[in-house]
Each structure stands twice: as structure tokens, then as C-alpha cells.
Amino acid sequence: MIKYMIRRLALAALILFVAVTAMFLMIRAVPGDPVQIMLGPRATPELQASLTAALGLDQPIWKQLVIFYSKMMQGDLGVDVFSGRSVTQIVMQQLPYTLELIFASIIWSALLGVIFGAYAAANPNTFWDRMIAFVSVSFIAAPAFVIALLSLLVFAVQLRWFPAIGVGEGFWSRLHHVVLPAFAIGLSWVGYIARLVRASMLEVLGEHHIRTARAFGLAERRIIMVYALRIAILPVITVIGVGMGFLLSAAVFAEIVFARPGLGKLVIDSITTRNYPVVMGAVLVSTGLFVLSTAISDIVNAWLDPRSRQSL
Amino acid sequence: MTAPLLQIDGVTIDYNTKKGNLRALRDISFDVNKGEIVGIVGESGCGKSTLISTILQLLPQNAEWKKGAINFKGKNLIACSEKEMRDMRGKDISVIFQDPMQSLNPVITIGRQMVDIQHRSTSPYVEKWQKAIDMLSMVGIADAETRLKQHPFEFSGGMLQRIAIAMALMSRPDLLIADEPTTALDATLEVEIIKRLKDLHKEMGCSILFISHHLGVIAELCQRVVVMYAGSVVEFGSVDEIFFNPKHPYTRRLIECDPGHIKERAKRLPTIPGEIPDLTEALEGCIFQERCSEIIAKCKISTPHFVSVGQNHQAACWLNHNQEPE
């Protein structure tokens, strides 16, 4: 298990390296001179030359890459063009808000989705199975931004149960603030996960080892919750690992609709003001998050399913 | 005479399929006495596995019970509630399933599974674990202590089959159902498993319902044999009677086709011509009529009933009815 974790994390580091290098080269390939953009059209050639040297843009590309990585290792992602603050600091300030939103969405939607899916699979073709299928598909079909706006109108404006904007301070207030955005972006995941769990659970329940468990008189609840769910949950964990990436982009509009600070909002704001170092830093951190979450989901899978430890 | 442990009486089961009703078991009747080993032989698809599921009341949802009764220790299993059945499964009746690679949970350790099936016992975890170690050693698995912490994929097929036997015998059941326990294994292992089963039977004294299509194994292990064809019992009797004095044409052909019985070198192994009839269609007359080489006019008209053809030996074939003194 430890060996698997080390191998998987090494793979994640490699993926991150390739992704970041590709991103770095792509930005360099975009036409336009960052120095000109930073200084504006009226800068003197001397000023431009000094900034070019300061940013290391006069160096050959491989050397720029080396400098970029060595700085990144030290936690230095460059400097905000306008405020002069460290990009690392800016990103790290926004990151917790996005993380709490993503985790809140994943946790509630996965819990509910797994319960719905497992219940539907345990009682196939009954009224409640069809009901869950109907609700799940409706959840999947409903666009998240519509849910966000509607829930904002109903729960924040009409009923005044939850705050409409901001993130709050202190644990309970922050939890209170995260409910609506997490509801909005997690809702379609409930349906998606419920469908997935139902399908894989039905498949597992048809396998021979389940018949064995029944033949030994194990309680049906135990068979479903332990013997079957442990296998049926595997694809869900993989999907959640990859889904983190989708949630990162879903977080962008949730942060805009609910006026929350966060990584998504930071990227949008920085793009509109052409603040490239901040964009680069924020994208880099999101990429890291994505690679890390897929690695974690693989490790959890390996822990649940010893067979998959053999591969890789 | 004491009542048999398991008494199957006229059990008929249908499967509702897209093609129509498939009659998987028709009017199955036989007994298993206390401490006896009864073998069931028949081709694939003759309803052997359905029979096990019926005894355990673990039939798939599309199965429909038509008629009959299964009496086990004086209780009609078909009338039992799900709870009553669950109390019996794994305690009074245990099963060794066909494919050991598929019939153990792949993601849970062997030890955990062996502890879990002792869910009825109130003894502490350590004792259950110790019992699992004892059972594994009993079926000849070395180093049971560390083996218990492993998962099924880390074992060979033969070892898994022995684990399955250990698990089935853990509760000292009154009836052990073994569903082709040696089919997935090679010949050397087969001999070993059979020997092991024989020893355990002597030691524990349970009744065994042994299902196989391997006649040699049946002859070696069982005291009585039930021959099944296309969901029906066609002949039953003691091992000697069935093997040396078969009275149903199907049994005779089955024995002729067993590679172990072929004396001369032949280019082709003998087979029974034809196929199992389509069980979704209503059938008149004998179930074996289409493949039978000794067919007479009566076979097409009505279904033969059982007649005694020797001591403890009955067959359902019209040919035997003529020999019967009226």
C-alpha cells in the first residue's frame, strides 16, 4: 500500500511537471510582448529593456523554464503587475474559499447520491427506484447557474434563510454562507452519482460472491453496505477525483453569482485586467489541485480494492 | 425408519423470460437421508443450480414457484419467511459454490469474510479469528495466520476451493450442498478435494448433496445418485445400481460418454446426439424423446412416471414399464 502511494504520487508529480511545462510554453507562444502590456504604450525603450531583463525574458527559453521552476520550488509564483504583491500570497488567500466550496459540494452530493443509488439498486423496479431515477435525471438536466439564481431568489431573498453574498467569518458563519453555492453546484452531482451507484451496485449484486454472502445468512443490509458497496463505490471515487476539475470551473460562476472571493473569481478578474502572473499562478494551483485529487482518488481506490494495487 | 433430512417433493419452477415461461424444474422429487452423500448428475443447463437456489430460497426475481414442497428437518422451506430462511442459511444448510474465484468477495480479506460468516456466534472477535485459523489448517492450508490477512486474488483456485469448503463447514451444518466443487480445478486437485471432503464427512457426519457432471467423482464419493435431464429427474438409485444397471436410456448414454469408461482408443469421444429441448415450449410425452435412440410410440404421447426397477432404484422410462409384472 505504501509502495503504491509512493508510485502514484511520483506519477502525479510527473503529470504536474508535464502540464506546467506545457502551460509555460503555451503562454510564451502567444503573440505579444508581456513587457509592453505591463508598461503600456508610452514606456521608453530603456525602461522596457530593464523590465525584460528583470523578468528574465532576454534569456533563452529553457533557461526561463529553469528559473521558473526554481522559483516555483521556493513558493515564488511572481508578482502581481498592479499591486506588486506576491502572487503566491494572493492565490493562497483565495484558495481556502474555493476549497471549502468544492469540498462542501462534493461531500453533500456524494453522500446523498450514494444513499439514493444504493437504495434504488437494492429495490430495483419499485416505485421508489423509479422516483429516484426521475429526480436524478431532473437534477442532472437542471443547469447549475439556473439552480444558483433560483436558490438565491428563493432561499436568500424570499425566505431569508441563507445569506445571498459573501463568505462570512468563523466556522458557523462560513458554513452558513457556503450552503447555497454548494447546493447549486452539487445538485447535478447528486443525480449523476446516484445513477452511477445504482448501475454499478446492480452489477455487483448480480455477482457470485454476493450469492455466497446471502447463502451464509448475512443480513441484507450488511451485504449491501459492506460487501457490495465497497466494490460499487470504486467508479464513484474515480469520477469524484476527475470531477474536482469540473467543480473548479463550476466554482467560477458560483463565486460570481454569490459574490464570493475565490480562485475562480480571481482568475476572471485577472484575465479582464490582463494580470498574467496572477492568472498563471491561479491556473497553476488549480492544475495542482486537479492532479492531486485524481491521485488521492486512485489511492483511496487502491485502499478499497487491493487488486488495483498490482497495476501501476 | 427416521424421516429423511431433506425431502424434495414435486418441485416445479418456472423462469419468466422474454421468450415465455421457461420450465427450469419439473416435478423434482428425491430425499437426502441423515449422514448420506447424494450425487446429482446431469448436463449443463439441466437445472442443477436452480435446484440449489430453490433449496436455499435464493431464486432470482424472475423465477416463479409453481408447485411442490421442500421439507428440511420437518419444515417446509417454501413456506418459510425470508427471516426464517436467513436463520437457516449458513447454519443448518451450507453451500460450496461452483467457481471459487468468483464466489468469494474480491475486496475483503479471507479472514474478515470467515469472521463475518460467524455472525450468529456471540463469542469475541479473537475467538472467531482463532476458529478461522483452525478451519483453514483443517483443510490443509499452511500458515493460516498470515493467509487470513490476504485477499482472494492472492490464492490459487485450489486453495480458494479449500477455503470455500472450510467456510461451509465452519458452522457444522446438517446439510452441505456442494455445487460442482471440483469443476474449476485440475485433475490432481480434484482428487485431493474429494479426499478432503470424504474425510470431513466422516469427521462431521453431515449429509452432502453433491452436484457434478463428473461421473467418476460421483461414483467415488456418493452413496446414492439422482440423474437429471432438462429439469427433470429421470432416474435415481444407489451408486452401484445406477452405474452397473442403468435403466434409463439417458443414464446409459451418459455413462457411455464418460471418458473414464471408454476402454478402446477412439478417434472421437462419443456424444449424445441432439440438443436439450427448448424448455420454453410446452412438452408432451417424455422429456428425452428427441434424443432417445430407443424411442417407442408411447414416449410421444404421455410422460412416463417412475417405476421401481431394482432395490432402491427407480427410473422414469416407458421401456421399463413393460418389464414390470402387472
Side-chain angles (χ1 to χ4, degrees):
Chain A
M1 189 67 210
I2 305 275
K3 250 198 246 165
Y4 178 86
M5 278 172 76
I6 293 169
R7 277 182 306 199
R8 186 62 187 82
L9 289 174
L11 181 67
L14 185 70
I15 294 169
L16 192 63
F17 172 75
V18 172
V20 170
T21 306
M23 200 166 66
F24 182 87
L25 295 177
M26 255 161 17
I27 285 179
R28 292 300 180 275
V30 171
D33 183 359
V35 172
Q36 250 176 18
I37 294 165
M38 283 183 194
L39 294 176
R42 280 182 295 170
T44 59
E46 295 82 46
L47 207 54
Q48 285 185 351
S50 72
L51 186 62
T52 308
L55 290 174
L57 292 174
D58 50 349
Q59 306 282 348
I61 192 100
W62 64 267
K63 209 161 182 184
Q64 289 184 32
L65 195 61
V66 172
I67 293 168
F68 173 75
Y69 269 112
S70 64
K71 279 188 170 170
M72 194 181 87
M73 291 301 174
Q74 293 157 22
D76 180 4
L77 295 174
V79 179
D80 183 337
V81 178
F82 300 109
S83 66
R85 285 166 66 209
S86 144
V87 170
T88 316
Q89 214 182 356
I90 296 174
V91 171
M92 285 306 158
Q93 207 172 32
Q94 307 293 322
L95 186 62
Y97 299 119
T98 302
L99 281 184
E100 78 186 21
L101 176 59
I102 290 175
F103 281 131
S105 318
I106 271 297
I107 288 169
W108 89 268
S109 57
L111 269 179
L112 215 60
V114 167
I115 291 170
F116 277 0
Y119 184 85
N123 306 281
N125 302 323
T126 56
F127 171 76
W128 286 112
D129 177 29
R130 299 216 170 86
M131 211 52 208
I132 288 169
F134 173 72
V135 170
S136 303
V137 175
S138 319
F139 283 180
I140 297 169
F145 64 91
V146 175
I147 301 295
L149 289 171
L150 278 178
S151 61
L152 193 66
L153 275 175
V154 175
F155 296 109
V157 179
Q158 296 284 329
L159 297 169
R160 298 191 174 273
W161 287 354
F162 298 102
I165 56 167
V167 284
E169 294 221 5
F171 179 77
W172 291 110
S173 169
R174 282 174 82 155
L175 191 67
H176 197 204
H177 279 83
V178 88
V179 169
L180 281 188
F183 171 74
I185 61 178
L187 193 65
S188 61
W189 282 86
V190 175
Y192 191 35
I193 290 173
R195 297 303 288 164
L196 194 64
V197 169
R198 181 187 185 269
S200 70
M201 185 73 126
L202 272 181
E203 198 183 312
V204 174
L205 286 178
E207 283 172 14
H208 290 318
H209 56 85
I210 296 297
R211 187 186 55 182
T212 309
R214 288 199 176 120
F216 279 110
L218 258 61
E220 193 65 21
R221 200 187 314 134
R222 187 169 173 80
I223 291 174
I224 289 183
M225 296 316 281
V226 181
Y227 278 66
L229 193 59
R230 198 166 160 160
I231 301 170
I233 202 90
L234 299 172
V236 178
I237 289 164
T238 308
V239 162
I240 288 178
V242 180
M244 289 294 255
F246 292 100
L247 279 171
L248 277 167
S249 50
V252 174
F253 80 80
E255 280 163 3
I256 290 167
V257 170
F258 294 96
R260 289 170 61 89
L263 223 47
K265 196 155 188 309
L266 182 70
V267 172
I268 297 285
D269 289 348
S270 309
I271 287 173
T272 46
T273 56
R274 306 275 188 282
N275 199 341
Y276 290 125
V278 179
V279 176
M280 179 78 186
V283 171
L284 191 109
V285 171
S286 327
T287 311
L289 271 183
F290 183 61
V291 171
L292 190 67
S293 73
T294 46
I296 289 174
S297 75
D298 275 1
I299 289 170
V300 171
N301 265 356
W303 172 64
L304 286 173
D305 183 0
R307 289 169 298 179
S308 65
R309 282 175 219 161
Q310 305 313 72
S311 54
L312 196 91
Chain B
M1 205 182 123
T2 51
L5 180 75
L6 177 77
Q7 203 170 16
I8 296 174
D9 185 17
V11 168
T12 302
I13 301 283
D14 276 4
Y15 283 126
N16 298 317
T17 63
K18 279 182 186 137
K19 278 170 71 191
N21 268 8
L22 187 149
R23 180 139 295 186
L25 296 181
R26 38 186 98 214
D27 218 2
I28 299 280
S29 302
F30 65 88
D31 308 334
V32 178
N33 293 320
K34 226 170 152 46
E36 191 183 32
I37 308 183
V38 173
I40 298 184
V41 238
E43 297 170 72
S44 313
C46 73
K48 292 173 293 187
S49 298
T50 304
L51 183 64
I52 298 172
S53 303
T54 311
I55 295 172
L56 287 169
Q57 296 291 292
L58 282 177
L59 284 166
Q61 293 210 320
N62 64 339
E64 194 187 336
W65 172 79
K66 284 288 180 193
K67 68 184 189 71
I70 299 177
N71 286 309
F72 176 75
K73 286 168 85 178
K75 247 190 217 173
N76 185 358
L77 298 187
I78 282 168
C80 276
S81 68
E82 174 57 26
K83 205 195 155 292
E84 283 177 284
M85 268 324 292
R86 193 160 53 219
D87 286 343
M88 259 183 273
R89 287 183 204 132
K91 187 171 127 232
D92 303 308
I93 309 176
S94 279
V95 192
I96 303 167
F97 283 108
Q98 198 163 7
D99 186 353
M101 304 284 207
Q102 306 279 319
S103 55
L104 288 166
N105 194 300
V107 299
I108 297 176
T109 59
I110 293 295
R112 177 74 193 286
Q113 294 189 53
M114 290 187 80
V115 168
D116 271 2
I117 60 168
Q118 303 176 48
H119 56 100
R120 291 188 186 88
S121 145
T122 50
S123 48
Y125 190 85
V126 201
E127 267 175 45
K128 291 183 179 177
W129 187 264
Q130 187 54 47
K131 195 170 176 199
I133 294 176
D134 295 345
M135 287 306 291
L136 276 202
S137 319
M138 196 169 109
V139 293
I141 287 180
D143 201 11
E145 181 94 60
T146 47
R147 285 304 220 166
L148 279 179
K149 292 178 188 133
Q150 291 181 322
H151 293 85
F153 72 95
E154 291 164 278
F155 290 84
S156 67
M159 283 181 132
L160 286 179
Q161 194 59 279
R162 278 183 280 168
I163 291 169
I165 293 175
M167 284 172 80
L169 292 174
M170 196 113 114
S171 62
R172 296 185 165 265
D174 297 312
L175 175 66
L176 176 69
I177 301 175
D179 183 6
E180 309 213 12
T182 57
T183 307
L185 307 177
D186 56 59
T188 29
L189 272 173
E190 186 166 27
V191 173
E192 204 197 306
I193 296 281
I194 295 303
K195 197 176 154 294
R196 189 78 65 183
L197 263 179
K198 247 182 157 171
D199 293 346
L200 291 172
H201 172 252
K202 223 175 271 169
E203 204 181 307
M204 299 205 162
C206 57
S207 306
I208 302 180
L209 187 57
F210 189 90
I211 293 165
S212 180
H213 54 242
H214 190 161
L215 293 169
V217 172
I218 297 263
E220 170 78 25
L221 191 67
C222 303
Q223 288 138 21
R224 279 197 307 137
V225 187
V226 175
V227 183
M228 276 179 76
Y229 178 75
S232 327
V233 173
V234 293
E235 186 170 6
F236 63 90
S238 67
V239 168
D240 287 347
E241 280 282 328
I242 294 286
F243 280 93
F244 296 110
N245 189 21
K247 285 292 179 193
H248 194 284
Y250 177 65
T251 315
R252 282 200 284 273
R253 303 310 300 268
L254 207 61
I255 292 169
E256 281 168 24
C257 292
D258 183 44
H261 283 250
I262 298 163
K263 301 284 183 305
E264 289 158 45
R265 268 178 83 95
K267 271 216 175 116
R268 278 162 198 268
L269 289 173
T271 53
I272 304 177
E275 279 168 31
I276 294 178
D278 185 355
L279 298 174
T280 53
E281 282 163 23
L283 207 89
E284 263 180 45
C286 174
I287 190 110
F288 191 57
Q289 54 177 292
E290 279 169 39
R291 301 171 77 180
C292 189
S293 52
E294 300 157 59
I295 187 165
I296 55 171
K298 206 173 180 186
C299 301
K300 291 202 182 260
I301 303 157
S302 64
T303 314
H305 47 84
F306 279 102
V307 283
S308 180
V309 288
Q311 201 185 2
N312 293 323
H313 184 185
Q314 294 197 29
C317 177
W318 288 123
L319 293 173
N320 299 314
H321 286 246
N322 301 337
Q323 300 165 5
E324 278 288 283
E326 287 299 320

